[in-house]
Amino acid sequence: MDNQYNNQYNNQYDPNQQSQQPQYMQQPQYGQPPAQYGYQPQYGYQPQYGYQPAAAPVPGKGLAIASMVLGIVALVFSYTTIIGIICGIVGIILGAIAKNKGFTGGMATAGIVCSVIAIALCLIFWIACGSFLCAAANASYYY
């Protein structure tokens, strides 16, 4: 008993007892990430802090963008009836397809509205030019 007391409190070496040193975490090897408690990274995956995972693609977003761009182009070229009407019709079709695919943003609606306004302006311009030409052809010139 006395021997155990001396070993325990005086830190004397006893060859019969196995040393019980506390197990500390070893330093990681070169190129290995440090071990974290309760977390095991997946194979081939290195966590990057501060980055969000990529969002899932929204169905119909590209069609909505194309519809809006064509609606704006149709508005700009509404004085030329061919380009304005073609871009307006395609813009309405793409906007309707984007809405049917479930796109809830305002781009599809903006594309449809711009396209409808452009087609209406094209028709008004066409009617105004036609009525002006008819009036000019029927006018009699008296001197």
Side-chain angles (χ1 to χ4, degrees):
M1 180 88 164
D2 190 33
N3 193 17
Q4 288 179 349
Y5 178 80
N6 286 338
N7 284 340
Q8 185 176 5
Y9 294 105
N10 293 332
N11 292 328
Q12 294 178 351
Y13 178 72
D14 184 12
N16 295 330
Q17 287 185 341
Q18 296 179 353
S19 76
Q20 296 181 351
Q21 296 178 354
Q23 296 291 327
Y24 293 108
M25 215 166 94
Q26 295 179 351
Q27 292 293 327
Q29 297 287 335
Y30 178 75
Q32 292 180 349
Q36 296 176 355
Y37 295 105
Y39 175 75
Q40 293 294 327
Q42 296 175 354
Y43 178 75
Y45 174 75
Q46 294 290 333
Q48 296 179 353
Y49 301 103
Y51 291 101
Q52 296 289 333
V58 179
K61 185 174 182 181
L63 294 171
I65 292 171
S67 170
M68 187 176 67
V69 168
L70 285 173
I72 293 170
V73 168
L75 277 174
V76 170
F77 290 105
S78 62
Y79 65 91
T80 63
T81 56
I82 302 298
I83 295 174
I85 288 178
I86 291 173
C87 288
I89 291 172
V90 174
I92 289 173
I93 292 170
L94 291 178
I97 292 172
K99 285 211 171 257
N100 285 339
K101 285 193 173 191
F103 184 72
T104 57
M107 287 186 286
T109 305
I112 292 172
V113 168
C114 288
S115 297
V116 168
I117 291 171
I119 289 175
L121 287 175
C122 287
L123 293 177
I124 290 170
F125 185 74
W126 184 279
I127 292 170
C129 287
S131 64
F132 177 73
L133 289 176
C134 287
N138 292 333
S140 58
Y141 294 102
Y142 295 104
Y143 292 103

